Amino acid sequence: MDSAGRFAGRLAVVTGGASGIGAAVARELAAGGARVVIADLDLARAQSLAAELGGEARRVDVCERDQVVALFAGLPGAPDVLVTSAGGAPRSAALDTDEATFARTLQLNTGGFWRCAQEAARRAVAAGQPLAIVHVASSLHRGPAPGLAHFAAAKAASVTLVRCLAQELAPQRIRVNAVIPGPVETPMTTPVWDAAPGLRESLGARIPLGRIGTPADVARAVAWLASDEAEWVTGALLPVDGGLEVAA
Ligand SMILES: NC(=O)c1ccc[n+]([C@@H]2O[C@H](COP(=O)([O-])OP(=O)(O)OC[C@H]3O[C@@H](n4cnc5c(N)ncnc54)[C@H](O)[C@@H]3O)[C@@H](O)[C@H]2O)c1
Protein backbone atom coordinates (compact mmCIF):
# COMPACT_ATOMS: atom_id res chain seq x y z
CA MET A 1 0.00 0.00 0.00
CA ASP A 2 1.18 3.51 -0.86
CA SER A 3 0.36 5.79 2.09
CA ALA A 4 1.35 8.83 0.02
CA GLY A 5 -0.73 7.78 -3.01
CA ARG A 6 -3.64 9.57 -4.65
CA PHE A 7 -6.15 7.79 -2.39
CA ALA A 8 -4.22 8.24 0.87
CA GLY A 9 -6.62 8.76 3.77
CA ARG A 10 -9.65 7.89 1.59
CA LEU A 11 -12.28 5.32 2.53
CA ALA A 12 -13.43 3.32 -0.50
CA VAL A 13 -16.25 0.78 -0.75
CA VAL A 14 -16.19 -1.66 -3.68
CA THR A 15 -19.30 -3.78 -4.21
CA GLY A 16 -18.61 -7.03 -6.02
CA GLY A 17 -15.03 -6.45 -4.90
CA ALA A 18 -14.24 -10.10 -4.24
CA SER A 19 -13.87 -11.09 -7.89
CA GLY A 20 -13.05 -10.00 -11.42
CA ILE A 21 -13.30 -6.29 -12.20
CA GLY A 22 -14.25 -5.36 -8.63
CA ALA A 23 -11.22 -7.18 -7.21
CA ALA A 24 -8.93 -5.40 -9.66
CA VAL A 25 -10.49 -2.07 -8.60
CA ALA A 26 -9.91 -2.93 -4.93
CA ARG A 27 -6.25 -3.64 -5.73
CA GLU A 28 -5.86 -0.39 -7.68
CA LEU A 29 -7.44 1.74 -4.95
CA ALA A 30 -5.43 0.02 -2.22
CA ALA A 31 -2.24 0.56 -4.23
CA GLY A 32 -3.10 4.25 -4.22
CA GLY A 33 -3.34 4.27 -0.43
CA ALA A 34 -7.11 3.87 0.08
CA ARG A 35 -8.63 2.03 2.99
CA VAL A 36 -10.74 -0.42 0.99
CA VAL A 37 -13.92 -2.15 2.13
CA ILE A 38 -14.68 -5.13 -0.09
CA ALA A 39 -18.44 -5.65 0.00
CA ASP A 40 -19.63 -8.86 -1.62
CA LEU A 41 -22.04 -11.77 -1.31
CA ASP A 42 -19.02 -14.06 -1.18
CA LEU A 43 -17.55 -13.27 2.22
CA ALA A 44 -14.77 -15.87 2.08
CA ARG A 45 -13.31 -14.47 -1.15
CA ALA A 46 -13.78 -10.91 0.10
CA GLN A 47 -11.90 -11.78 3.30
CA SER A 48 -9.06 -13.41 1.45
CA LEU A 49 -8.51 -10.36 -0.79
CA ALA A 50 -8.95 -7.96 2.14
CA ALA A 51 -6.23 -9.83 4.04
CA GLU A 52 -3.91 -9.48 1.07
CA LEU A 53 -4.62 -5.76 0.62
CA GLY A 54 -4.82 -4.79 4.28
CA GLY A 55 -8.48 -3.86 3.76
CA GLU A 56 -11.76 -4.99 5.24
CA ALA A 57 -14.43 -7.41 4.06
CA ARG A 58 -18.20 -7.20 4.52
CA ARG A 59 -20.86 -9.64 3.39
CA VAL A 60 -23.68 -7.82 1.64
CA ASP A 61 -26.41 -8.64 -0.82
CA VAL A 62 -26.88 -5.39 -2.71
CA CYS A 63 -30.42 -6.50 -3.59
CA GLU A 64 -31.43 -6.12 0.05
CA ARG A 65 -31.97 -2.57 1.32
CA ASP A 66 -31.46 -3.45 5.00
CA GLN A 67 -28.09 -5.07 4.23
CA VAL A 68 -26.96 -2.05 2.22
CA VAL A 69 -28.02 0.32 5.01
CA ALA A 70 -26.12 -1.83 7.53
CA LEU A 71 -23.03 -1.85 5.31
CA PHE A 72 -22.78 1.95 5.22
CA ALA A 73 -23.90 2.39 8.84
CA GLY A 74 -21.07 0.08 9.88
CA LEU A 75 -18.32 2.12 8.24
CA PRO A 76 -16.00 4.26 10.35
CA GLY A 77 -17.23 7.34 8.47
CA ALA A 78 -18.73 8.53 5.22
CA PRO A 79 -17.09 6.89 2.20
CA ASP A 80 -14.96 9.04 -0.12
CA VAL A 81 -15.28 6.57 -2.99
CA LEU A 82 -17.97 4.06 -3.97
CA VAL A 83 -17.44 1.64 -6.83
CA THR A 84 -20.43 -0.53 -7.78
CA SER A 85 -19.22 -3.63 -9.60
CA ALA A 86 -21.65 -6.22 -8.18
CA GLY A 87 -23.69 -7.41 -11.13
CA GLY A 88 -24.37 -10.10 -13.66
CA ALA A 89 -27.21 -12.26 -14.92
CA PRO A 90 -27.85 -15.81 -16.11
CA ARG A 91 -28.04 -16.26 -19.87
CA SER A 92 -31.60 -16.80 -20.96
CA ALA A 93 -33.26 -16.44 -24.35
CA ALA A 94 -35.86 -13.67 -24.38
CA LEU A 95 -38.79 -16.06 -24.79
CA ASP A 96 -37.57 -18.33 -21.99
CA THR A 97 -36.86 -15.62 -19.41
CA ASP A 98 -39.26 -15.88 -16.49
CA GLU A 99 -40.52 -13.17 -14.15
CA ALA A 100 -38.13 -14.11 -11.36
CA THR A 101 -35.03 -13.91 -13.56
CA PHE A 102 -36.12 -10.60 -15.07
CA ALA A 103 -36.91 -9.10 -11.66
CA ARG A 104 -33.73 -10.37 -10.01
CA THR A 105 -31.60 -9.00 -12.86
CA LEU A 106 -33.07 -5.52 -12.37
CA GLN A 107 -32.80 -5.83 -8.58
CA LEU A 108 -29.07 -6.57 -8.87
CA ASN A 109 -27.82 -4.49 -11.79
CA THR A 110 -30.07 -1.43 -11.50
CA GLY A 111 -31.33 -1.59 -7.92
CA GLY A 112 -27.95 -2.63 -6.49
CA PHE A 113 -26.35 0.47 -7.94
CA TRP A 114 -29.29 2.68 -6.89
CA ARG A 115 -29.37 1.45 -3.27
CA CYS A 116 -25.61 1.71 -2.72
CA ALA A 117 -25.33 5.10 -4.42
CA GLN A 118 -28.24 6.44 -2.40
CA GLU A 119 -26.95 5.20 0.97
CA ALA A 120 -23.37 6.31 0.30
CA ALA A 121 -24.60 9.73 -0.86
CA ARG A 122 -26.81 10.13 2.20
CA ARG A 123 -23.77 9.50 4.41
CA ALA A 124 -21.60 11.93 2.44
CA VAL A 125 -24.24 14.66 2.57
CA ALA A 126 -24.76 14.16 6.32
CA ALA A 127 -20.99 14.43 6.85
CA GLY A 128 -20.65 17.42 4.50
CA GLN A 129 -18.08 15.45 2.50
CA PRO A 130 -17.55 15.05 -1.24
CA LEU A 131 -18.00 11.59 -2.76
CA ALA A 132 -16.94 9.97 -6.02
CA ILE A 133 -19.20 7.19 -7.28
CA VAL A 134 -18.10 5.01 -10.20
CA HIS A 135 -20.53 2.45 -11.59
CA VAL A 136 -19.47 -0.54 -13.68
CA ALA A 137 -22.05 -0.76 -16.48
CA SER A 138 -21.62 -2.77 -19.71
CA SER A 139 -21.29 -2.20 -23.43
CA LEU A 140 -24.30 -4.52 -23.75
CA HIS A 141 -26.49 -1.69 -22.43
CA ARG A 142 -26.81 -0.47 -26.00
CA GLY A 143 -28.01 -3.88 -27.22
CA PRO A 144 -28.39 -6.10 -29.08
CA ALA A 145 -27.58 -8.77 -26.53
CA PRO A 146 -28.84 -12.20 -27.59
CA GLY A 147 -29.61 -14.27 -24.49
CA LEU A 148 -29.02 -11.27 -22.26
CA ALA A 149 -31.84 -8.83 -23.12
CA HIS A 150 -32.85 -8.67 -19.43
CA PHE A 151 -29.26 -7.81 -18.45
CA ALA A 152 -28.87 -5.21 -21.21
CA ALA A 153 -32.08 -3.50 -20.11
CA ALA A 154 -30.96 -3.45 -16.47
CA LYS A 155 -27.59 -1.95 -17.36
CA ALA A 156 -29.26 0.62 -19.62
CA ALA A 157 -31.42 1.73 -16.70
CA SER A 158 -28.34 1.96 -14.49
CA VAL A 159 -26.60 4.19 -17.03
CA THR A 160 -29.60 6.54 -17.03
CA LEU A 161 -29.46 6.62 -13.25
CA VAL A 162 -25.77 7.59 -13.42
CA ARG A 163 -26.61 10.60 -15.60
CA CYS A 164 -29.59 11.64 -13.46
CA LEU A 165 -27.72 11.30 -10.16
CA ALA A 166 -24.74 13.19 -11.57
CA GLN A 167 -26.99 16.14 -12.34
CA GLU A 168 -28.98 16.00 -9.11
CA LEU A 169 -26.09 15.45 -6.70
CA ALA A 170 -23.46 17.78 -8.21
CA PRO A 171 -24.42 20.65 -5.87
CA GLN A 172 -23.52 18.38 -2.95
CA ARG A 173 -20.07 17.70 -4.46
CA ILE A 174 -21.01 14.14 -5.36
CA ARG A 175 -19.64 13.01 -8.72
CA VAL A 176 -21.29 10.06 -10.45
CA ASN A 177 -19.65 8.41 -13.45
CA ALA A 178 -19.66 5.03 -15.17
CA VAL A 179 -17.25 2.87 -17.06
CA ILE A 180 -18.74 0.91 -19.95
CA PRO A 181 -16.59 -2.20 -20.29
CA GLY A 182 -16.57 -4.40 -23.35
CA PRO A 183 -15.78 -8.12 -22.98
CA VAL A 184 -13.38 -8.71 -20.07
CA GLU A 185 -11.83 -12.02 -18.96
CA THR A 186 -13.12 -12.66 -15.41
CA PRO A 187 -14.53 -15.59 -13.41
CA MET A 188 -17.91 -14.58 -14.88
CA THR A 189 -16.88 -14.85 -18.52
CA THR A 190 -14.13 -17.49 -18.50
CA PRO A 191 -16.49 -20.50 -18.16
CA VAL A 192 -18.80 -19.12 -20.87
CA TRP A 193 -15.96 -18.57 -23.30
CA ASP A 194 -14.29 -21.89 -22.41
CA ALA A 195 -17.55 -23.69 -23.22
CA ALA A 196 -17.81 -22.12 -26.69
CA PRO A 197 -14.63 -22.87 -28.63
CA GLY A 198 -13.52 -19.91 -30.75
CA LEU A 199 -15.81 -17.38 -29.04
CA ARG A 200 -12.98 -15.68 -27.14
CA GLU A 201 -10.98 -15.31 -30.34
CA SER A 202 -13.91 -14.04 -32.41
CA LEU A 203 -14.79 -11.48 -29.74
CA GLY A 204 -11.18 -10.31 -29.69
CA ALA A 205 -11.12 -10.03 -33.48
CA ARG A 206 -14.14 -7.66 -33.42
CA ILE A 207 -12.31 -5.26 -31.12
CA PRO A 208 -10.27 -2.56 -32.91
CA LEU A 209 -7.41 -2.82 -30.40
CA GLY A 210 -7.29 -6.54 -31.09
CA ARG A 211 -7.99 -8.27 -27.79
CA ILE A 212 -10.55 -8.73 -25.03
CA GLY A 213 -9.96 -6.75 -21.85
CA THR A 214 -8.42 -7.55 -18.51
CA PRO A 215 -9.87 -6.53 -15.14
CA ALA A 216 -6.85 -4.24 -14.71
CA ASP A 217 -7.74 -2.38 -17.95
CA VAL A 218 -11.08 -1.46 -16.39
CA ALA A 219 -9.72 -0.85 -12.89
CA ARG A 220 -7.28 1.82 -14.06
CA ALA A 221 -10.12 3.77 -15.69
CA VAL A 222 -12.29 3.38 -12.59
CA ALA A 223 -9.48 4.64 -10.38
CA TRP A 224 -8.99 7.70 -12.56
CA LEU A 225 -12.69 8.57 -12.37
CA ALA A 226 -12.62 8.04 -8.59
CA SER A 227 -9.56 10.26 -8.13
CA ASP A 228 -9.18 14.01 -7.80
CA GLU A 229 -7.64 14.01 -11.29
CA ALA A 230 -11.25 13.71 -12.49
CA GLU A 231 -12.57 16.41 -10.15
CA TRP A 232 -14.34 18.22 -13.03
CA VAL A 233 -15.84 15.05 -14.49
CA THR A 234 -19.37 13.92 -13.67
CA GLY A 235 -22.10 12.19 -15.65
CA ALA A 236 -19.47 10.61 -17.91
CA LEU A 237 -19.97 7.19 -19.50
CA LEU A 238 -16.43 6.09 -20.32
CA PRO A 239 -16.11 3.18 -22.77
CA VAL A 240 -13.28 0.84 -21.74
CA ASP A 241 -13.61 -1.60 -24.59
CA GLY A 242 -10.64 -1.54 -26.93
CA GLY A 243 -12.66 0.61 -29.34
CA LEU A 244 -15.65 -1.75 -29.62
CA GLU A 245 -18.07 1.18 -29.47
CA VAL A 246 -16.57 2.72 -32.59
CA ALA A 247 -16.04 -0.55 -34.46
CA ALA A 248 -17.66 -0.72 -37.88
N1 LIG B 1 -16.65 -9.50 -17.49
C1 LIG B 1 -17.17 -8.79 -18.49
O1 LIG B 1 -16.97 -9.08 -19.70
C2 LIG B 1 -17.99 -7.58 -18.18
C3 LIG B 1 -18.27 -6.70 -19.22
C4 LIG B 1 -19.04 -5.58 -18.97
C5 LIG B 1 -19.53 -5.36 -17.70
N2 LIG B 1 -19.27 -6.24 -16.70
C6 LIG B 1 -19.82 -5.94 -15.38
O2 LIG B 1 -18.76 -5.85 -14.48
C7 LIG B 1 -19.23 -6.19 -13.17
C8 LIG B 1 -18.29 -7.22 -12.57
O3 LIG B 1 -18.31 -8.36 -13.41
P1 LIG B 1 -17.15 -9.46 -13.38
O4 LIG B 1 -16.99 -9.94 -14.76
O5 LIG B 1 -15.99 -8.94 -12.61
O6 LIG B 1 -17.91 -10.63 -12.57
P2 LIG B 1 -17.47 -11.55 -11.33
O7 LIG B 1 -18.50 -12.62 -11.30
O8 LIG B 1 -16.04 -11.94 -11.44
O9 LIG B 1 -17.65 -10.59 -10.07
C9 LIG B 1 -18.92 -10.20 -9.63
C10 LIG B 1 -18.89 -10.12 -8.11
O10 LIG B 1 -20.17 -9.59 -7.69
C11 LIG B 1 -20.58 -10.32 -6.56
N3 LIG B 1 -22.04 -10.26 -6.44
C12 LIG B 1 -22.95 -10.83 -7.27
N4 LIG B 1 -24.18 -10.59 -6.81
C13 LIG B 1 -24.05 -9.83 -5.71
C14 LIG B 1 -24.98 -9.27 -4.79
N5 LIG B 1 -26.32 -9.44 -4.92
N6 LIG B 1 -24.52 -8.52 -3.76
C15 LIG B 1 -23.17 -8.35 -3.60
N7 LIG B 1 -22.24 -8.88 -4.42
C16 LIG B 1 -22.69 -9.61 -5.46
C17 LIG B 1 -20.09 -11.75 -6.82
O11 LIG B 1 -20.03 -12.50 -5.61
C18 LIG B 1 -18.72 -11.48 -7.43
O12 LIG B 1 -17.72 -11.42 -6.44
C19 LIG B 1 -20.66 -6.69 -13.34
O13 LIG B 1 -21.55 -5.64 -13.01
C20 LIG B 1 -20.73 -7.01 -14.81
O14 LIG B 1 -22.03 -6.89 -15.32
C21 LIG B 1 -18.50 -7.36 -16.92
Side-chain angles (χ1 to χ4, degrees):
M1 186 195 290
D2 177 0
S3 60
R6 60 185 165 161
F7 297 112
R10 306 279 167 97
L11 179 62
V13 176
V14 183
T15 76
S19 176
I21 292 170
V25 168
R27 285 180 198 286
E28 191 73 23
L29 298 178
R35 175 175 180 182
V36 180
V37 176
I38 298 165
D40 203 290
L41 258 186
D42 187 337
L43 182 60
R45 287 184 82 181
Q47 282 172 329
S48 136
L49 183 58
E52 185 192 321
L53 301 180
E56 290 156 49
R58 301 271 197 283
R59 188 195 180 277
V60 69
D61 182 346
V62 298
C63 297
E64 300 293 335
R65 170 69 69 169
D66 55 347
Q67 294 186 29
V68 172
V69 170
L71 166 68
F72 288 98
L75 296 177
D80 302 286
V81 172
L82 168 68
V83 178
T84 51
S85 189
R91 289 190 165 264
S92 173
L95 300 190
D96 298 335
T97 302
D98 58 21
E99 284 289 341
T101 301
F102 189 78
R104 173 76 188 178
T105 302
L106 281 158
Q107 272 289 73
L108 173 56
N109 294 281
T110 313
F113 165 65
W114 168 253
R115 270 172 225 108
C116 293
Q118 204 181 34
E119 293 303 327
R122 284 176 172 157
R123 302 249 146 208
V125 169
Q129 262 185 222
L131 168 66
I133 299 174
V134 185
H135 176 54
V136 181
S138 168
S139 59
L140 292 180
H141 84 92
R142 293 186 301 270
L148 283 169
H150 49 304
F151 175 73
K155 287 293 192 187
S158 75
V159 160
T160 299
L161 283 175
V162 165
R163 288 171 50 79
C164 293
L165 292 177
Q167 186 273 334
E168 195 170 328
L169 301 181
Q172 281 124 323
R173 298 187 298 154
I174 296 173
R175 298 188 297 107
V176 190
N177 292 292
V179 289
I180 314 289
V184 176
E185 184 89 44
T186 70
M188 181 187 286
T189 50
T190 294
V192 178
W193 295 340
D194 282 351
L199 179 56
R200 187 182 277 104
E201 292 70 23
S202 70
L203 279 171
R206 281 178 48 216
I207 295 175
L209 288 178
R211 63 170 175 85
I212 58 175
T214 66
D217 287 324
V218 182
R220 286 189 292 269
V222 169
W224 179 74
L225 284 168
S227 77
D228 291 347
E229 291 162 35
E231 67 180 356
W232 206 48
V233 180
T234 197
L237 310 176
L238 177 61
V240 186
D241 62 1
L244 189 59
E245 187 175 341
V246 291

